[in-house]
Amino acid sequence: MAHSLQLLPLASSFIQDLPKHNLRESICNIERCQIHCIANKKTDYSITKRVSGYYKPSSWSHEFMMSMGDDRGVEVPKESSIKKLEETVKYMLDDGGTEPLDILQLIDDIQHLGLGYRFRESTKCALNKIKCSEKVKEKMHNSIRTCSLYFTLLRQHGYEVSADIFENFKDHNGNFKESLSQDVVGMLSLYEASHFAYNGEKILDEARKFTSMKLKEMLGKIDMKIGEKVKHALEIPFQWRMQRLEARWNIEEYNKKDGANQFLLKLAILDFNMVQSMLQKDLQQHLPDYMKICFLALYNTVNNMAYDVLKEQGHVILPQLTKVWADLCKLFLKEAKWSYNKQIPKFEEYMSNGWISSSGPLLLVHAYFLMSQNITNEALQSFNTYPSLLRFPSTIFRLSNDLSSSKAEIERGETANAISCYMHENGVSEKVAREYLTSLIDENWKMMNKELVSNSLFDKSFIEIAINLARIAQCHYQYGNAHSDPNDVTRNRVLWVIIDPIQLKIQQPICRN
């Protein structure tokens, strides 16, 4: 629950235009509950002390954040130089003389280097051509790498494509051909493709199992460069990874690649450093005078947000904003009662509460109103009952949190956790409970993949934001709780994405005539 406190400055934008009597009544009720708990003679002070003493001080001081504007040895890229490189890469995508298979690889490189958002239209046009290319279809029959890349990119960009295209790579017994394991890059591509599965696509479940087993067997026997990529993918596939952090990793790997496209590499580096500079400025500005004015900031920001939407699009969004905050507070209180009473709820009851208390729906509802240029009445109505697009990533958020934090939470007296609830209700070991929760994460990813091609109420940009929430959750909790108990790995990730710019030495691109 504590991780949600870091979201208060962001969420503050929604409270401002809430009906004042409801807001004040809610805050007063919360304050009365807090005062009552403190005054209650039955309160176990030792438990309270242990709970409050668990969280470690922040690794990032206010002084450090403010110093990020100092000269760090890297020039902030100019937008004009970025635009020039962007046009060069766009020309490559639109070049009718380029082989379709090369375009396919170029699109994949663009995605992995964190540049996909710059080339949405060009990528869509290129994929439309590739989808009709006989040369690509012919190559797909014989190349598992081409087939997997084709499948992955089409699903990633919202095209309908059947998983049956992989049937050609099975033997007469219905198993994937053993000979495929001789193509490491192809196996890696098939492994990544299997993570774009929908529920019920047995062939992709088989592909994931087959490639996972074979790739693990190959580690230690293959070239170090490809071995690092295999190890990285087996840890977490690309579709599940936090994209900005993944872009950093891929830029550094791409720099080692023989024959790397120098225009693309330079653009990726400049783009990454530019975005990083923007993040630094944001951090220097979302640092308020600590927590003493957070509720006022929340109230004011929400009112400003609602006012802007009403003025620009004519929609009243306060009821939706009020609801997500009220629901979050109610569920926080419910979880506090479970903890206080040492109560372990049923697993389903816990999860029906937990995916909302993860704060995922709160973040996504605000994100929708902040980024959408065409708010619809249908979308507004759907937020009253929480659409599935909000549920899937928020469930992954909750499960990832609990998988990483259960031990610490139990030690400090919090009984309600997905693992403890499942163990208690079903009489199983922690290992079995963890395996079940991991399978639920996979199931929610499959349902979320389907949202990319379904007839959704929401546009592709918002669907991508929802998917990114799941990616961030898995990144945040991959090595424990990166918020309350950061380690060297999680600190280095923050440094990579926000603090340290890329300073790779690249070859000077050869300009086109």
Side-chain angles (χ1 to χ4, degrees):
M1 193 191 316
H3 75 282
S4 299
L5 293 176
Q6 66 186 310
L7 307 174
L8 284 174
L10 168 67
S12 62
S13 63
F14 120 40
I15 287 197
Q16 185 176 5
D17 262 339
L18 303 183
K20 294 182 180 178
H21 63 283
N22 287 341
L23 175 64
R24 289 173 180 161
E25 182 180 350
S26 297
I27 292 177
C28 288
N29 285 337
I30 293 171
E31 289 175 344
R32 277 196 289 270
C33 286
Q34 292 172 334
I35 293 169
H36 175 74
C37 288
I38 293 171
N40 193 325
K41 292 182 180 180
K42 294 182 180 179
T43 299
D44 186 340
Y45 178 73
S46 63
I47 293 178
T48 305
K49 185 176 181 180
R50 184 167 70 250
V51 173
S52 62
Y54 167 76
Y55 300 103
K56 296 183 179 180
S58 172
S59 302
W60 318 102
S61 68
H62 176 77
E63 289 73 19
F64 176 77
M65 294 297 184
M66 298 310 292
S67 73
M68 290 190 299
D70 297 344
D71 182 14
R72 304 182 70 82
V74 174
E75 183 181 355
V76 177
K78 295 180 179 178
E79 185 64 27
S80 58
S81 58
I82 290 179
K83 282 295 181 185
K84 189 173 180 180
L85 284 166
E86 186 177 317
E87 288 301 317
T88 301
V89 175
K90 191 177 292 184
Y91 174 82
M92 295 175 187
L93 277 172
D94 297 339
D95 189 355
T98 306
E99 286 291 318
L101 296 176
D102 293 334
I103 295 292
L104 207 61
Q105 184 59 58
L106 177 59
I107 294 172
D108 191 53
D109 289 340
I110 286 171
Q111 295 297 127
H112 279 75
L113 295 174
L115 296 170
Y117 74 100
R118 288 187 174 271
F119 302 100
R120 293 187 194 278
E121 290 304 317
S122 295
T123 296
K124 186 175 181 180
C125 292
L127 287 175
N128 285 336
K129 294 175 185 176
I130 288 171
K131 202 162 184 274
C132 302
S133 170
E134 292 299 325
K135 188 175 287 188
V136 172
K137 290 177 182 177
E138 182 180 337
K139 182 70 173 176
M140 281 167 50
H141 286 295
N142 304 311
S143 170
I144 188 63
R145 180 169 178 267
T146 302
C147 187
S148 300
L149 194 55
Y150 173 89
F151 176 85
T152 297
L153 290 175
L154 287 181
R155 283 219 168 167
Q156 192 176 46
H157 290 85
Y159 290 80
E160 288 281 2
V161 54
S162 173
D164 291 343
I165 62 175
F166 294 109
E167 289 288 353
N168 189 52
F169 298 96
K170 287 188 167 185
D171 59 24
H172 61 280
N173 293 321
N175 301 316
F176 279 97
K177 297 174 182 177
E178 286 293 325
S179 59
L180 294 175
S181 60
Q182 297 174 12
D183 179 3
V184 181
V185 177
M187 292 289 285
L188 184 56
S189 297
L190 179 57
Y191 169 82
E192 294 285 10
S194 71
H195 288 86
F196 284 84
Y198 306 150
N199 277 326
E201 291 186 313
K202 184 180 177 183
I203 190 171
L204 291 179
D205 292 336
E206 293 170 353
R208 187 188 304 187
K209 184 177 180 181
F210 173 72
T211 53
S212 297
M213 178 181 68
K214 294 297 182 183
L215 288 170
K216 286 175 184 176
E217 291 174 357
M218 292 174 186
L219 284 175
K221 304 175 186 177
I222 53 180
D223 177 76
M224 187 179 294
K225 284 184 179 179
I226 187 65
E228 282 299 312
K229 290 183 178 180
V230 169
K231 185 179 178 182
H232 188 72
L234 287 174
E235 189 180 46
I236 296 181
F238 177 73
Q239 169 67 344
W240 294 9
R241 283 190 176 269
M242 179 180 163
Q243 298 294 280
R244 187 60 21 190
L245 182 62
E246 185 67 359
R248 174 92 190 217
W249 192 90
N250 280 300
I251 289 170
E252 305 218 3
E253 286 299 306
Y254 191 75
N255 189 50
K256 304 172 189 174
K257 180 180 176 181
D258 296 332
N261 184 317
Q262 296 301 310
F263 289 102
L264 192 60
L265 177 60
K266 186 172 183 180
L267 175 60
I269 292 173
L270 292 178
D271 174 84
F272 187 93
N273 289 345
M274 184 189 75
V275 173
Q276 186 182 84
S277 178
M278 292 166 60
L279 291 174
Q280 290 178 5
K281 289 176 182 176
D282 286 346
L283 278 177
Q284 289 173 332
Q285 294 167 4
H286 280 97
L287 284 172
D289 234 357
Y290 207 63
M291 297 293 288
K292 62 183 180 182
I293 59 169
C294 66
F295 282 107
L296 179 61
L298 183 59
Y299 183 87
N300 290 337
T301 309
V302 171
N303 273 306
N304 288 336
M305 180 178 170
Y307 171 77
D308 287 341
V309 170
L310 180 61
K311 180 177 69 173
E312 295 168 10
Q313 299 196 46
H315 287 287
V316 177
I317 63 171
L318 276 177
Q320 286 73 26
L321 296 177
T322 304
K323 177 177 171 55
V324 290
W325 276 103
D327 287 351
L328 186 69
C329 291
K330 288 174 185 175
L331 295 181
F332 277 177
L333 181 60
K334 190 173 185 179
E335 289 180 348
K337 288 178 178 178
W338 285 339
S339 180
Y340 182 79
N341 295 321
K342 304 297 182 189
Q343 181 181 351
I344 302 178
K346 295 287 187 181
F347 181 75
E348 285 302 321
E349 182 186 5
Y350 172 80
M351 285 305 301
S352 65
N353 188 91
W355 72 270
I356 299 177
S357 71
S358 73
S359 74
L362 178 102
L363 291 172
L364 291 174
V365 168
H366 284 71
Y368 175 78
F369 292 130
L370 285 168
M371 58 76 61
S372 180
Q373 300 299 313
N374 185 27
I375 295 172
T376 65
N377 289 324
E378 292 78 11
L380 281 174
Q381 291 301 316
S382 74
F383 287 142
N384 293 328
T385 54
Y386 294 114
S388 56
L389 181 61
L390 272 60
R391 176 186 286 267
F392 301 147
S394 299
T395 299
I396 293 172
F397 195 169
R398 167 53 61 208
L399 293 173
S400 298
N401 180 317
D402 287 5
L403 281 169
S404 75
S405 307
S406 61
K407 184 179 178 182
E409 288 175 355
I410 291 171
E411 286 177 354
R412 65 176 184 257
E414 296 180 21
T415 54
N417 178 286
I419 293 177
S420 59
C421 291
Y422 191 80
M423 289 172 63
H424 184 263
E425 183 177 343
N426 296 283
V428 297
S429 66
E430 181 180 345
K431 180 182 177 183
V432 171
R434 285 183 173 275
E435 288 173 350
Y436 179 68
L437 264 60
T438 301
S439 72
L440 285 184
I441 289 176
D442 188 41
E443 183 179 319
N444 277 275
W445 266 109
K446 289 178 177 178
M447 292 186 287
M448 199 154 50
N449 287 338
K450 189 70 175 176
E451 289 288 328
L452 285 167
V453 298
S454 65
N455 187 19
S456 178
L457 288 172
F458 306 101
D459 61 27
K460 180 98 175 351
S461 296
F462 183 64
I463 294 173
E464 288 178 353
I465 288 174
I467 291 174
N468 279 337
L469 176 64
R471 289 168 172 159
I472 291 170
Q474 292 204 257
C475 174
H476 190 80
Y477 297 109
Q478 184 180 358
Y479 298 104
N481 191 325
H483 173 60
S484 63
D485 191 15
N487 56 30
D488 288 342
V489 175
T490 53
R491 288 191 190 94
N492 285 337
R493 284 180 165 182
V494 173
L495 291 173
W496 254 31
V497 174
I498 298 179
I499 310 300
D500 296 336
I502 299 176
Q503 304 189 54
L504 298 179
K505 292 182 179 179
I506 61 175
Q507 301 174 18
Q508 188 64 31
I510 301 172
C511 294
R512 294 176 177 270
N513 292 328

